[in-house]
Amino acid sequence: MSQEILQALSPWSEVDTSALKGLNERLDTLEGKTVGMFGDFMILATYMLKSVEKELAARYKNVRFSYIQYNTETTMIEKDTAFYETYKQWLEGVDCVLCFYGSVPSSSLYLGYNAALTEKLGKPTVMLVVPRTYPAGIRGVKAMGVPGLRTIQYDITVDKVNAHVDQDIVDAAMAPDIKRLTDELVDGLCRPLTAEERTPSMPDQHYAQDTYTGTAREISRRFYKLGFTNGAPIEIPTPEAVEEMLRGTDLPRDYVVGRIPPKMGLATVERIAINAAMAGCLPTYMPVLIAAVQGALDERIILEGWTCSQSTWGPVLTLSGPVVKDIGLNVGDNFLSPYYKPNAAIARAFGYIMINIGGLRPGIEDLSEMGHENRLGFCIGDNTEKNPWSPLHVDFGFAEEDSAVTMFWPQEHRALSGHSVADFLSGLCKINVVGWEPGMEIIMTPICAKMFADEGWDKKRILEYVVEYARRPGSEVDIRWLIGNNHIPANVSLPVDMTHSTRTFWDTKHMFALVGGGSAGPMMTVLAGGGDHGGPSCTRIELPARWKDLVAEYADIRPEYIAY
């Protein structure tokens, strides 16, 4: 039996290539020059630069050095208004720059962003990263339009992450390689440019422009081989399927919702629709996905810190407001289980958007050591009908009649049970999460929420109680890591005496609560650990003009389970 031949549109996004920049002319020598020594947020970078300084000073009699360190881990310098001005002034006094040290994936990506900025500001620049994180660093410089930036791979054999090093340790570790490494650095600053380095060629964008023809199975397998999917069968994004998906928004198909890192892919409405169609979404899910992209790019979320981290995070999309009921999102029994189409398809579509528009490739930009079971998305909703308090989006300042999506990247999943308010507060305060500025998403069953409300507790009071009484011994806090990696809390004093306790959660900034789950009894689920790189963000969902008609049209697409 012959199978239907289909045509599929590409989910892969284009990037803006209008501002590619060639490299600055190299120096003829370092003699008599001032070398700018740029260190990232880890103290290790400055120690390594000091080791290189000693070798350079031995080679060039009149070479000078000027140091600057950017203490923020995951921020582009050009978006840090105050430091940007300081940085430009510093650059005026140097002839070239060495940028150290991309030791973890997300910091390598941001080092790439900032090294590319340095080259764009007129200074010959060389970047140093470890081999494992090299792809992330290169992705950073390409995303900023300086694809040829000279980059050296080097792996120092010390504790790179935890900052348990000093200058003597670093000098000793680099001693066997310091001459060879310095040769490479000097070469990067002084070797004449090639034609390609002067005028870089435009990147090939054909994968974003191609269409694919074949049977459903052939296209599904082809998409997996290209890295567009995780290998699970997809619905084929034919032109007709994408047209149907576009009915879910009044925005034009070529409207750019944003640029998604690390590729800085152009998230057009059409490209979001293609990925949504692949995931099996309905047109009524489109407004949610557009808002989710906006929320992921919100300044309260440092997206690359989650998606390109060496650590372990999984995105959670939490919907609230009338849209929850409109699209049939499950908020009752099996609250966390992906049994229902909106819960499963929206989550999967967001994961594909991160892969195909953001360009996030496992083992290349996504270098999480352990990964996360929710890496391809997780979608839940606030049960406003059984909520004794205001809906989640109202907590973020929206009107009750609005709908919104809250974006959060937790790491851990904890289940708590109890018979009283005291039981649950005790459980919350015993949670000891991974991360230097952790947060949490607290989900209470309707009965659990009612128990708290009946005793005079609201969500704000619960969160503030946890901040005050969730504590751990100072001896369990890696003070040296916090100081050496410039992660000192702004509003919490670190313990000096290690017999003292300190807060587990520094404040409520990265914490929120909602109601969901069955009505069998009081239970609580905590999705904890998010916060290190921002969030949560809450974004209003913009519904199309014919929303009610669209909801009615797709209302019957829901399971009718077989009785047996």
Side-chain angles (χ1 to χ4, degrees):
M1 178 186 241
S2 62
Q3 292 183 295
E4 182 182 5
I5 301 300
L6 303 172
Q7 183 185 60
L9 301 180
S10 173
W12 193 251
S13 73
E14 294 184 310
V15 296
D16 183 0
T17 59
S18 62
L20 292 185
K21 184 188 183 305
L23 300 188
N24 299 294
E25 291 297 331
R26 302 292 103 169
L27 305 177
D28 56 353
T29 178
L30 296 187
E31 189 67 51
K33 301 296 193 297
T34 298
V35 181
M37 310 293 257
F38 173 87
D40 72 1
F41 72 104
M42 291 185 176
I43 191 63
L44 172 62
T46 300
Y47 290 148
M48 293 175 68
L49 287 164
K50 289 288 186 183
S51 294
V52 170
E53 176 187 341
K54 295 172 187 174
E55 179 64 22
L56 286 173
R59 298 184 184 195
Y60 302 97
K61 182 178 180 181
N62 295 316
V63 68
R64 298 176 298 275
F65 303 93
S66 178
Y67 281 80
I68 195 168
Q69 183 177 17
Y70 189 45
N71 294 339
T72 305
E73 177 184 359
T74 45
T75 300
M76 294 182 183
I77 289 176
E78 63 182 327
K79 292 186 177 181
D80 185 341
T81 306
F83 188 84
Y84 187 31
E85 294 305 314
T86 299
Y87 193 61
K88 288 192 293 184
Q89 291 175 15
W90 174 77
L91 284 176
E92 291 177 1
V94 303
D95 298 294
C96 58
V97 178
L98 299 178
C99 290
F100 283 23
Y101 173 58
S103 56
V104 295
S106 55
S107 70
S108 291
L109 184 69
Y110 274 89
L111 189 69
Y113 290 160
N114 294 327
L117 171 67
T118 306
E119 190 81 40
K120 289 165 80 171
L121 290 174
K123 300 300 177 179
T125 303
V126 174
M127 178 174 69
L128 191 73
V129 299
V130 304
R132 179 174 184 267
T133 69
Y134 173 78
I138 290 299
R139 182 69 262 154
V141 299
K142 287 183 176 180
M144 299 306 291
V146 190
L149 191 134
R150 291 180 174 177
T151 302
I152 295 171
Q153 301 179 54
Y154 176 73
D155 203 351
I156 185 173
T157 55
V158 298
D159 187 343
K160 291 186 284 291
V161 176
N162 293 318
H164 295 181
V165 293
D166 57 31
Q167 190 66 61
D168 289 340
I169 291 173
V170 172
D171 285 346
M174 294 183 71
D177 302 312
I178 193 65
K179 293 186 182 298
R180 175 188 60 80
L181 175 61
T182 305
D183 287 343
E184 292 183 37
L185 294 170
V186 172
D187 180 69
L189 293 173
C190 298
R191 174 170 34 92
L193 299 180
T194 65
E196 174 65 20
E197 287 177 324
R198 283 194 175 89
T199 309
S201 57
M202 306 287 277
D204 188 349
Q205 304 238 47
H206 80 85
Y207 284 114
Q209 299 156 353
D210 288 348
T211 57
Y212 300 86
T213 303
T215 66
R217 175 178 291 182
E218 288 169 345
I219 293 172
S220 187
R221 290 181 176 176
R222 176 64 172 155
F223 275 24
Y224 176 57
K225 290 193 72 173
L226 288 169
F228 294 164
T229 77
N230 66 338
I234 59 170
E235 290 198 22
I236 306 305
T238 63
E240 296 78 13
V242 175
E243 285 297 330
E244 180 187 20
M245 201 62 55
L246 289 169
R247 296 177 63 208
T249 177
D250 291 333
L251 294 171
R253 66 196 310 143
D254 60 351
Y255 178 83
V256 178
V257 177
R259 298 197 312 163
I260 302 179
K263 187 173 72 168
M264 299 300 178
L266 298 174
T268 63
V269 169
E270 180 181 47
R271 206 66 66 169
I272 292 171
I274 293 170
N275 283 276
M278 283 170 49
C281 289
L282 300 178
T284 48
Y285 307 168
M286 270 294 288
V288 173
L289 288 167
I290 291 170
V293 170
Q294 292 170 328
L297 298 176
D298 189 286
E299 62 181 9
R300 290 167 291 186
I301 300 284
I302 304 171
L303 186 59
E304 301 95 318
W306 305 117
T307 57
C308 299
S309 177
Q310 187 165 292
S311 298
T312 301
W313 317 101
V316 177
L317 291 71
T318 304
L319 311 189
S320 53
V323 75
V324 171
K325 188 173 182 180
D326 287 348
I327 67 174
L329 193 78
N330 176 47
V331 293
D333 289 307
N334 277 288
F335 180 77
L336 301 177
S337 304
Y339 280 132
Y340 299 91
K341 190 177 185 71
N343 301 71
I346 291 171
R348 188 183 184 196
F350 183 77
Y352 284 161
I353 287 167
M354 292 296 104
I355 291 171
N356 295 317
I357 303 180
L360 189 67
R361 298 169 294 179
I364 302 176
E365 293 86 13
D366 183 350
L367 288 167
S368 174
E369 285 186 294
M370 294 299 291
H372 199 283
E373 63 272 23
N374 294 335
R375 201 66 161 180
L376 283 183
F378 186 45
C379 184
I380 56 178
D382 189 21
N383 189 339
T384 57
E385 294 183 354
K386 296 185 178 181
N387 190 333
W389 306 298
S390 59
L392 176 61
H393 60 281
V394 174
D395 299 340
F396 286 92
F398 293 102
E400 190 160 343
E401 62 269 21
D402 288 336
S403 293
V405 57
T406 299
M407 302 299 296
F408 191 57
W409 269 259
Q411 183 175 33
E412 305 172 42
H413 178 168
R414 310 289 180 92
L416 302 177
S417 61
H419 302 286
S420 66
V421 166
D423 289 344
F424 284 104
L425 292 174
S426 176
L428 287 170
C429 291
K430 290 176 182 175
I431 291 175
N432 192 1
V433 297
V434 175
W436 58 266
E437 190 181 355
M440 63 162 59
E441 177 172 1
I442 302 173
I443 305 161
M444 292 171 273
T445 62
I447 291 176
C448 182
K450 185 177 185 302
M451 178 192 300
F452 273 90
D454 287 348
E455 295 192 24
W457 291 78
D458 60 15
K459 289 182 281 187
K460 182 174 182 290
R461 184 183 173 192
I462 294 169
L463 300 180
E464 289 175 345
Y465 185 95
V466 174
V467 169
E468 182 65 29
Y469 293 105
R471 306 186 70 83
R472 52 181 158 181
S475 58
E476 294 181 4
V477 180
D478 193 339
I479 303 294
R480 191 169 181 179
W481 184 91
L482 290 170
I483 295 173
N485 290 325
N486 288 290
H487 285 331
I488 302 170
N491 55 349
V492 177
S493 295
L494 295 174
V496 176
D497 186 332
M498 291 302 104
T499 65
H500 295 161
S501 66
T502 188
R503 288 180 181 177
T504 300
F505 301 93
W506 293 353
D507 53 38
T508 62
K509 181 172 66 173
H510 304 302
M511 303 168 70
F512 60 103
L514 62 144
V515 176
S519 298
M523 286 199 68
M524 187 180 284
T525 293
V526 178
L527 305 176
D532 300 52
H533 300 296
S537 70
C538 188
T539 303
R540 187 176 183 272
I541 298 171
E542 300 291 343
L543 303 174
R546 298 185 64 253
W547 176 248
K548 289 184 179 179
D549 293 338
L550 201 66
V551 169
E553 182 178 345
Y554 290 92
D556 65 340
I557 301 181
R558 59 189 63 208
E560 297 177 3
Y561 295 113
I562 298 170
Y564 66 94

